[in-house]
Amino acid sequence: MPPPSTPNPPPTVRATPNPTGPHATGRTDHISAGLADLLIRASRQHGGRLADYIPELAHVDPDRFGIAMTSVLGRSYRAGDENTFTIQSISKPFVYAMVIDELGLEEVARNVGFEPSGEPFNAISLEPDTGRPDNAMINAGAIVISSMVPGINTDRQVRRMRAAMSAFAGRELELDEAVLSSEAATGDRNRALGYLALAAGRLDGSVADAMEVYFQQCSLKVSVEDLAVMGATLAHGGTNPVTGDRVVSELAARHTLSMMASCGMYDYSGEWMIRVGLPAKSGVGGGIVAILPGQFGIGVHSAPLDARGNSVRGVEALTELSDYFGMHLLGHPRSPLSPIVSTRDCDGVHTVAVRGELDFVSTEQLVHHLLDHCEQAEPATVRVDLSAVTRARPIAGRLLTATGDDLRRHGWEFQLLDSACLLTPDGDNATR
Ligand code: GLN
């Protein structure tokens, strides 16, 4: 691992006015102020080393420290320094998402596994029986994934990779040519991982071609805001909340978040899940992206790394942030809101108006309301009005259809007002 860098004094941290955040409307932005506060606390964290095994990465300013957060509604917040850095391993989940989207999970699973390796990012982590790299978040797996990017030649593959990365960020991402040549000049360990995968029959095409895609994806320049938007795109089921473009399918986004949750922070992934509780991915450029599904993408950057290759201050900032904003994925015990907004009895018709998202627990409440009502009344008409429902999971359709069939068998007339076809299993709004 990299040698010690100079000690890093606490930077001056401020919340930065943001064109897409509440500053745009002149409102006080307490969210960016909260980010600035936690940056100050995290900047007390010293130590860490620059990753100089890619020589060009040793030339970055170790004091720069910035954070940004974008919601699935497309609003952004930020604090600290604005700068760009190379994305490095944070490219892995995004290229993985694109390749899964294009080829499907099963095809990808032929070549790369799903298990945490518990080893450093550049370890030789290949399954003994199949020769598959353990997962796509470590170098060995990511190099195989890079070889699978669709395209009739390397040039097309690189273009496809860059188009996907740019679509995730919502802007054209540029290459850092100096880092790219530095990676290529010193990347023999990565080439060796490529050759091992090739020998095991897991690599598509040549090692040189795979390395071309891989080194380029690692050398793309991003800002913390880019990472926040890229993360928010995964949080938002694959649709970029700023541009509105669908980048990958909802299922590909879900598979990717699952991998990030178990493997994104290398051999710190288990403790990370305990302390921070967010799917995340770090890179040796000092960036980390973290995601709260359905809510936010977060990007943070500070170059000095700990022994596992994760940004020292980045880890600290995200640990604070998860606590401050109450973001831990598994820390959301909730009293489910009732989806029922009103009930009305008129001319023998019992109408139940429902709103919001019909997930499993809200549908369960609705079904029990219907059964309770029908047990206490003489058979007549019961009507469920879904016009204020924003989205329904397939389980809602299954439970309501089955309940309707039961009620009809008991002499009830059962009507579902679903003009937006939310309960149609293949409808756009449906998700598993
Ligand atoms: N480009 C780097 C490498 O291959 C990426 C590693 C990382 O960010 N962890 O070594």
Side-chain angles (χ1 to χ4, degrees):
M1 277 316 282
S5 69
T6 46
N8 32 357
T12 326
V13 175
R14 70 207 128 50
T16 321
N18 184 332
T20 59
H23 284 295
T25 57
R27 295 180 201 165
T28 309
D29 177 0
H30 295 293
I31 297 178
S32 294
L35 290 177
D37 280 352
L38 65 88
L39 230 52
I40 289 170
R41 289 196 293 280
S43 63
R44 295 189 192 121
Q45 195 66 236
H46 295 286
R49 299 151 181 226
L50 296 179
D52 72 344
Y53 76 101
I54 300 169
E56 198 58 31
L57 292 184
H59 300 149
V60 301
D61 180 351
D63 297 336
R64 299 192 75 90
F65 188 16
I67 192 163
M69 188 154 91
T70 298
S71 79
V72 294
L73 299 171
R75 277 190 283 269
S76 290
Y77 307 89
R78 68 176 178 229
D81 295 317
E82 289 175 55
N83 69 327
T84 55
F85 47 93
T86 51
I87 189 167
Q88 297 297 338
S89 279
I90 307 170
S91 61
K92 291 170 183 168
F94 298 100
V95 176
Y96 186 65
M98 179 264 278
V99 169
I100 286 196
D101 193 40
E102 294 272 356
L103 305 181
L105 187 69
E106 300 319 321
E107 181 64 16
V108 171
R110 286 197 309 114
N111 291 336
V112 185
F114 303 107
E115 303 308 330
S117 66
E119 291 188 294
F121 66 83
N122 57 3
I124 304 170
S125 296
L126 307 175
E127 288 175 350
D129 46 344
T130 64
R132 290 188 313 177
D134 283 328
N135 67 72
M137 301 296 116
I138 52 172
N139 290 13
I143 290 165
V144 171
I145 294 296
S146 301
S147 81
M148 297 176 80
V149 170
I152 48 167
N153 54 37
T154 318
D155 221 45
R156 291 288 176 87
Q157 287 183 291
V158 166
R159 264 195 266 164
R160 181 75 189 84
M161 175 278 291
R162 286 188 62 169
M165 298 292 281
S166 299
F168 271 113
R171 74 175 186 95
E172 197 64 34
L173 296 180
E174 305 282 325
L175 264 186
D176 186 323
E177 300 283 355
V179 171
L180 177 61
S181 12
S182 198
E183 293 233 17
T186 57
D188 284 340
R189 187 178 177 93
N190 284 327
R191 288 187 190 91
L193 293 172
Y195 277 108
L196 287 172
L198 183 69
R202 301 298 161 192
L203 201 84
D204 275 2
S206 75
V207 171
D209 290 348
M211 297 323 300
E212 181 69 27
V213 180
Y214 177 75
F215 288 144
Q216 288 219 24
Q217 75 185 55
C218 291
S219 304
L220 290 171
K221 280 189 289 192
V222 288
S223 64
V224 284
E225 276 129 317
D226 291 326
L227 292 183
V229 174
M230 295 173 87
T233 302
L234 289 179
H236 196 34
T239 298
N240 184 314
V242 177
T243 62
D245 293 338
R246 172 159 294 285
V247 183
V248 293
S249 69
E250 201 166 314
L251 199 57
R254 193 186 84 185
H255 290 321
T256 304
L257 289 171
S258 306
M259 286 313 304
M260 295 171 84
S262 59
C263 308
M265 300 297 282
Y266 315 117
D267 42 345
Y268 185 61
S269 296
E271 186 166 343
W272 172 268
M273 209 55 197
I274 291 272
R275 295 191 189 281
V276 183
L278 298 171
K281 186 75 196 75
S282 68
V284 291
I288 305 179
V289 68
I291 292 136
L292 179 54
Q295 298 193 27
F296 282 97
I298 305 133
V300 64
H301 174 252
S302 161
L305 306 177
D306 63 20
R308 284 137 155 166
N310 298 322
S311 163
V312 171
R313 288 172 163 178
V315 167
E316 185 66 18
L318 287 166
T319 309
E320 289 259 350
L321 172 137
S322 169
D323 194 39
Y324 180 82
F325 291 107
M327 283 185 154
H328 198 298
L329 188 61
L330 304 175
H332 289 270
R334 56 171 193 158
S335 316
L337 289 175
S338 171
I340 299 170
V341 256
S342 65
T343 59
R344 192 158 50 94
D345 286 286
C346 186
D347 299 332
V349 181
H350 178 70
T351 304
V352 184
V354 182
R355 74 166 167 206
E357 177 164 342
L358 274 189
D359 59 7
F360 181 26
V361 74
S362 53
T363 310
E364 186 230 23
Q365 294 178 84
L366 173 59
V367 162
H368 279 284
H369 171 89
L370 297 173
L371 296 176
D372 288 347
H373 172 82
C374 295
E375 268 165 29
Q376 287 156 19
E378 285 305 311
T381 300
V382 64
R383 179 180 296 156
V384 179
D385 180 356
L386 300 177
S387 48
V389 168
T390 47
R391 176 179 161 115
R393 301 215 164 229
I395 185 64
R398 285 182 221 128
L399 284 178
L400 282 174
T401 307
T403 304
D405 292 346
D406 283 348
L407 294 181
R408 287 191 190 101
R409 270 196 295 278
H410 288 90
W412 285 83
E413 157 97 23
F414 181 74
Q415 300 173 349
L416 269 178
L417 303 187
D418 180 20
S419 53
C421 297
L422 292 168
L423 297 186
T424 314
D426 295 329
D428 275 354
N429 291 295
T431 174
R432 230 152 288 281

